[in-house]
Amino acid sequence: MRLEQQILANLIENEDYVRQSIAHLRASYFLDAEYREVFKVVRDYVTAYNSPPSVSAIKIALQDNRKITEDLYSKCEDLINSLKSDNPDEKWLIDQTEKFCKDKAVYNAIMQSIQIIDGQDKTHTVDALPSILSDALSVGFDNNIGHDYVADAEARFEFYHRHEEKLPFDLEYFNKITEGGLINKTLNIALAGTGVGKSLFMCHVGASMISQGKNVLYITLEMAEERIAERIDANMMDVSMQDLRDLSKSMYTDRVKKIKDKVDGRLIVKEYPTATAHAGHFRALLEELKLKQNFYPDIIFIDYLNICVSQRLRNNSGANSYTIVKSIAEELRGLAVEYDLPIVSATQTTRGGFNNSDVDLTDTSESFGLPATADLMFALISTEELEQQGHMMVKQLKNRYSDPTRNKRFMIGVDRAKMKLFDLDENAQNLVDSGQVQDEQPVFDRGNFGSRLNLSDIKV
């Protein structure tokens, strides 16, 4: 007896099997027309009545289907009459059904891919191939249908006390606000105006991750690959960008060799043209790096989110900026979850937030859907006064790692020539959060500096 016959027979006779398998089976997995039509009737009956159908109910449903020819109905009837379960071991049958679903999903994905390549599929382009194959490879039975508050209490206790691997920063206050560093399956966003230091921040953190022995993938849609590598060179070699260009070839080669001997992490920088790449391209890149270079990143930087495109909204489909940016953010966070790593990206402030010395979430450009999706979002703020001091202010905007009201604002040092960030001592912090600086009004609260305009206060 064919496995498909065993599957259909048990869908009629075995209610426990039906409840474990029906949600995972698809009509497209049955390649023969009679098997496919019988399965459709069984599926529709179970959906409508929450129980397996009888043989007579299946035959009546097939008779009522005007799309089925006499010849096909005859084959369906013969198939139904031959269905009889030999009561196999239920675990074996579930395992075999899962393997059947996986094999057929991959087969269908390959056949669909061939049609797309041949131009027979008008609804998809070759950009959809990685997603189609990835979806097929991810097919499997997951019988976990939720967390039982009482029954799963012990597992919940273990979760509370499980050590979660984190990627620490080399900046003290970023480790404080994330309780030790970035965790996997998260989207982390820096908000800043043009020229404030979005790329500088990502290049610095990327360099620090390489120094920790982590593999870093840096995707740039704004600057050339060489420009990003140049900034990381300046950071890791501890030389200014100007001095870097003045190095002789032998001196430069020696410094690269010292870095190679000192660090175990690898860096791959990939450039895409602005507004042409989406999560599907990044997924394909990850698979290609895995196959060709045996490269598995521990963290991904995307410079930057707003100049990506959405995979779901083809040619943006006339959608507004809120929908587009929110879709991009959701797709990137999905990528982080799929590959079990953190993604760090950035976004621009609005025109109103560009000169604002106290940026908040409403200053996010284009879409408020981005902060709704991000796990960590913080503003990088620079003013003339801060630039003269070589400082930059960081303000937490959203934080799923810890309480965002603790260390809500803090200062970091900036060496723009060397593309470096560094910690400042406590005296330089001028922290503004309640309870962090006692009996002293913070610097940013001593006057109108950074205050927002209130039209009701204007006298005419």
Side-chain angles (χ1 to χ4, degrees), residues 412-457:
I412 54 176
V414 186
D415 185 341
R416 293 184 183 275
K418 295 181 180 180
M419 293 291 143
K420 274 182 175 287
L421 303 174
F422 53 90
D423 289 320
L424 299 172
D425 59 38
E426 288 297 322
N427 292 330
Q429 284 298 336
N430 293 321
L431 297 172
V432 297
D433 289 326
S434 173
Q436 293 185 67
V437 177
Q438 301 293 333
D439 303 322
E440 181 180 339
Q441 191 178 20
V443 166
F444 280 88
D445 289 349
R446 293 178 189 162
N448 294 327
F449 181 71
S451 63
R452 294 181 177 272
L453 184 64
N454 188 344
L455 295 178
S456 63
D457 292 337

Side-chain angles (χ1 to χ4, degrees), residues 142-357:
D142 181 5
N143 295 318
N144 179 11
I145 55 173
H147 180 88
D148 187 307
Y149 180 76
V150 175
D152 295 332
E154 187 175 339
R156 190 163 65 250
F157 179 84
E158 294 297 326
F159 170 78
Y160 294 155
H161 294 83
R162 187 174 66 215
H163 176 71
E164 192 167 26
E165 186 178 351
K166 295 192 173 187
L167 298 181
F169 293 88
D170 63 345
L171 299 166
E172 179 187 1
Y173 274 86
F174 274 99
N175 283 330
K176 284 184 177 181
I177 67 172
T178 57
E179 297 189 342
L182 298 173
I183 60 176
N184 294 340
K185 303 181 182 181
T186 57
L187 177 64
N188 308 275
I189 301 293
L191 170 67
T194 302
V196 170
K198 298 187 298 295
S199 297
L200 187 157
F201 173 83
M202 287 192 282
C203 286
H204 173 85
V205 177
S208 75
M209 294 297 172
I210 300 165
S211 299
Q212 295 176 43
K214 304 300 182 183
N215 290 336
V216 174
L217 173 61
Y218 196 113
I219 295 171
T220 173
L221 295 93
E222 187 175 40
M223 289 187 286
E225 295 170 354
E226 295 79 9
R227 291 297 181 194
I228 296 297
E230 179 185 30
R231 290 172 173 229
I232 294 178
D233 265 345
N235 182 294
M236 299 196 71
M237 294 180 185
D238 198 29
V239 298
S240 70
M241 299 274 281
Q242 183 57 52
D243 290 342
L244 180 64
R245 297 186 185 100
D246 293 337
L247 290 176
S248 66
K249 185 175 181 179
S250 60
M251 292 175 66
Y252 175 78
T253 304
D254 286 344
R255 294 195 180 213
V256 171
K257 185 177 183 304
K258 286 179 181 177
I259 292 172
K260 181 182 176 182
D261 294 340
K262 186 171 64 173
V263 302
D264 295 324
R266 293 175 63 191
L267 168 69
I268 300 290
V269 184
K270 173 62 178 175
E271 176 188 359
Y272 289 95
T274 302
T276 61
H278 52 58
H281 295 104
F282 306 152
R283 186 177 290 106
L285 173 63
L286 287 164
E287 293 303 315
E288 198 170 358
L289 287 170
K290 182 169 66 176
L291 290 171
K292 293 182 177 179
Q293 297 198 27
N294 196 31
F295 179 84
Y296 299 82
D298 296 296
I299 186 170
I300 300 175
F301 295 86
I302 298 175
D303 192 0
Y304 60 96
L305 185 143
N306 295 63
I307 51 177
C308 298
V309 291
S310 170
Q311 182 178 14
R312 291 177 291 176
L313 304 175
R314 191 171 181 181
N315 299 322
N316 293 335
S317 302
N320 57 39
S321 60
Y322 173 91
T323 304
I324 294 168
V325 174
K326 188 173 189 298
S327 295
I328 295 169
E330 290 169 346
E331 289 161 17
L332 293 184
R333 192 176 187 282
L335 190 70
V337 172
E338 181 180 345
Y339 284 88
D340 193 27
L341 47 70
I343 290 180
V344 179
S345 191
T347 187
Q348 294 271 23
T349 59
T350 59
R351 185 169 56 183
F354 179 74
N355 292 318
N356 191 349
S357 59

